[in-house]
Amino acid sequence: LLWLAPLAMARPAEYRSQRRRSRDNKPALVWQERDTEILRAVWLNRFLTRELLLVLLPPGAPPAHITTAATPKQPGTNLDRRLAKLFHHGYLDRLRTEIGGPLIYALTRKGGERLGELRPDLDPGGKSSRWSRNWEEINRNARPANIDHTLALARVRCALEATTRAGAFALDTFKREGEDLKAEWKTRQGRRYVIPDAFVILADHRDQKPRRYAFFFEIDRSTMKASRMADKFARYADLYEARMHKTYFGVPSFRVLTVCKSAERARNLRALVRGEFTPPHARAPLKAPLPEKLRSFFYFIDEASFAEPQNILAATWSPAHADDRLGIIPQPLPIA
């Protein structure tokens, strides 16, 4: 083992792992308003990637005294610096669900407490415990499937915010699962319930009298069997026929928008609502889970169809009642 002696002597006595060195040698951080907006965006969406943060916080024009190239090599490089500094100072956590995959940002306890100090308006109920939770442990225990589902919902929210930022529509309401969205009621057959992934109200300001439109979003990651999806769609139909959407959500009408992981899955779920989907190894299609008169309530899309944020309101949705691609605006079901 004498040949190992030179190698041992060459190793510095103060050697530290890369993670520890990066934490010790923190870059200087002068807090900016943009940092607060980054923490707020991550808190609202639970998990965000750099690409989604760029949608929410696009790079602004550089100061007049700074000369830049006509075409930047990579947009959002200042955002990269802010994210790195917030991570190294312990305000953000960084996760990955797969080796070599994109970095996923989440709030830490320190970041939550800092956000609570800077934005007390985000805590109107005075529940300060939400900021001081052990977010690091919660982030470590988050399963990849749950992170993937949360990111898919974050893409929807980011697309809606980017689309309505400078348009005629405003994002009036966005509530995701866990924010008092459960509707439960009794029927002769037993208890029925609906728990949407998100509840959204868009306000249309193009007319003198603004109109508002309500939507339930379902995020489908191709993991649920067709029979369970059929039951989920049937419960939305029961929600409407029992008028429980008025009681729990305060809207007289709605649409159910399902965002699928792939185009094939979107076609299969659309066929399922129409009573035209035959599962593998089955001899006949499954029975339609809802009456034909309610098929116009259900729209389907795959994630690739709104790779550009504005496409989420364009004619890219496949309704269950028609064979054409339609948009949810400008002729959705008015609720006011």
Side-chain angles (χ1 to χ4, degrees):
L1 298 178
L2 294 177
W3 63 275
L4 292 175
L7 296 178
M9 295 176 62
R11 180 176 177 177
E14 66 277 6
Y15 176 82
R16 291 165 292 177
S17 67
Q18 182 179 0
R19 180 177 178 84
R20 184 178 175 186
R21 280 183 282 128
S22 64
R23 287 290 191 180
D24 290 346
N25 301 327
K26 298 177 183 179
L29 175 62
V30 178
W31 198 267
Q32 300 177 1
E33 184 179 354
R34 187 176 180 83
D35 299 327
T36 305
E37 291 304 311
I38 291 174
L39 295 186
R40 174 183 174 274
V42 174
W43 174 72
L44 286 176
N45 293 277
R46 184 66 180 91
F47 298 111
L48 282 179
T49 61
R50 171 190 181 275
E51 287 68 25
L52 292 178
L53 280 164
L54 272 177
V55 173
L56 293 174
L57 304 170
H65 65 280
I66 297 180
T67 303
T68 58
T71 304
K73 294 181 179 180
Q74 183 181 14
T77 51
N78 181 61
L79 176 63
D80 295 332
R81 288 192 291 269
R82 304 316 301 177
L83 289 173
K85 290 185 177 184
L86 291 173
F87 166 71
H88 288 301
H89 283 264
Y91 296 105
L92 287 179
D93 210 350
R94 292 198 302 207
L95 315 170
R96 274 196 174 103
T97 57
E98 57 185 11
I99 298 176
L103 288 173
I104 301 169
Y105 295 91
L107 207 63
T108 63
R109 178 173 182 172
K110 181 178 179 181
E113 292 175 344
R114 177 68 168 170
L115 183 61
E117 295 172 359
L118 297 173
R119 292 293 304 272
D121 57 299
L122 297 177
D123 188 25
K127 300 177 181 178
S128 59
S129 60
R130 73 174 66 184
W131 307 119
S132 59
R133 296 178 65 183
N134 190 355
W135 288 109
E136 288 87 342
E137 182 178 356
I138 296 173
N139 296 335
R140 283 195 304 270
N141 294 332
R143 294 184 298 175
N146 292 341
I147 296 176
D148 180 58
H149 186 277
T150 304
L151 278 176
L153 184 58
R155 292 188 194 99
V156 171
R157 184 171 192 160
C158 292
L160 287 171
E161 290 194 8
T163 303
T164 58
R165 186 180 296 138
F169 304 98
L171 186 57
D172 183 276
T173 300
F174 190 103
K175 291 185 177 181
R176 62 181 184 181
E177 183 181 356
E179 298 180 10
D180 300 325
L181 287 186
K182 183 176 181 180
E184 188 174 6
W185 67 99
K186 294 181 180 179
T187 67
R188 294 180 179 178
Q189 293 74 29
R191 286 186 174 273
R192 299 291 278 170
Y193 67 92
V194 166
I195 309 177
D197 288 327
F199 173 62
V200 174
I201 295 180
L202 292 178
D204 184 352
H205 296 289
R206 291 177 296 178
D207 297 331
Q208 292 183 352
K209 182 180 179 181
R211 296 191 300 173
R212 300 161 68 239
Y213 309 102
F215 307 95
F216 293 114
F217 274 89
E218 286 293 333
I219 305 298
D220 179 78
R221 308 309 290 166
S222 303
T223 57
M224 192 174 290
K225 294 182 178 180
S227 58
R228 291 187 60 191
M229 292 300 298
D231 178 66
K232 178 178 289 190
F233 295 145
R235 284 188 269 116
Y236 275 110
D238 293 344
L239 177 76
Y240 181 79
E241 293 186 331
R243 298 298 187 264
M244 287 294 106
H245 55 288
K246 295 182 178 180
T247 303
Y248 284 94
F249 303 100
V251 296
S253 190
F254 61 86
R255 277 183 174 169
V256 181
L257 309 180
T258 303
V259 180
C260 302
K261 192 172 184 178
S262 66
E264 180 182 5
R265 178 70 169 183
R267 288 193 296 268
N268 290 342
L269 292 184
R270 177 175 173 271
L272 177 66
V273 172
R274 296 161 65 108
E276 300 172 356
F277 177 70
T278 303
H281 312 296
R283 296 183 178 181
L286 294 178
K287 181 181 178 182
L290 46 93
E292 184 175 357
K293 64 180 181 179
L294 296 182
R295 291 179 188 174
S296 60
F297 284 44
F298 294 84
Y299 282 61
F300 302 88
I301 197 174
D302 61 283
E303 284 184 336
S305 295
F306 66 93
E308 297 295 330
Q310 63 271 18
N311 288 349
I312 197 169
L313 297 185
T316 52
W317 294 82
S318 298
H321 69 289
D323 295 329
D324 299 327
R325 291 289 185 107
L326 301 177
I328 59 174
I329 299 290
Q331 295 179 343
L333 301 173
I335 66 170

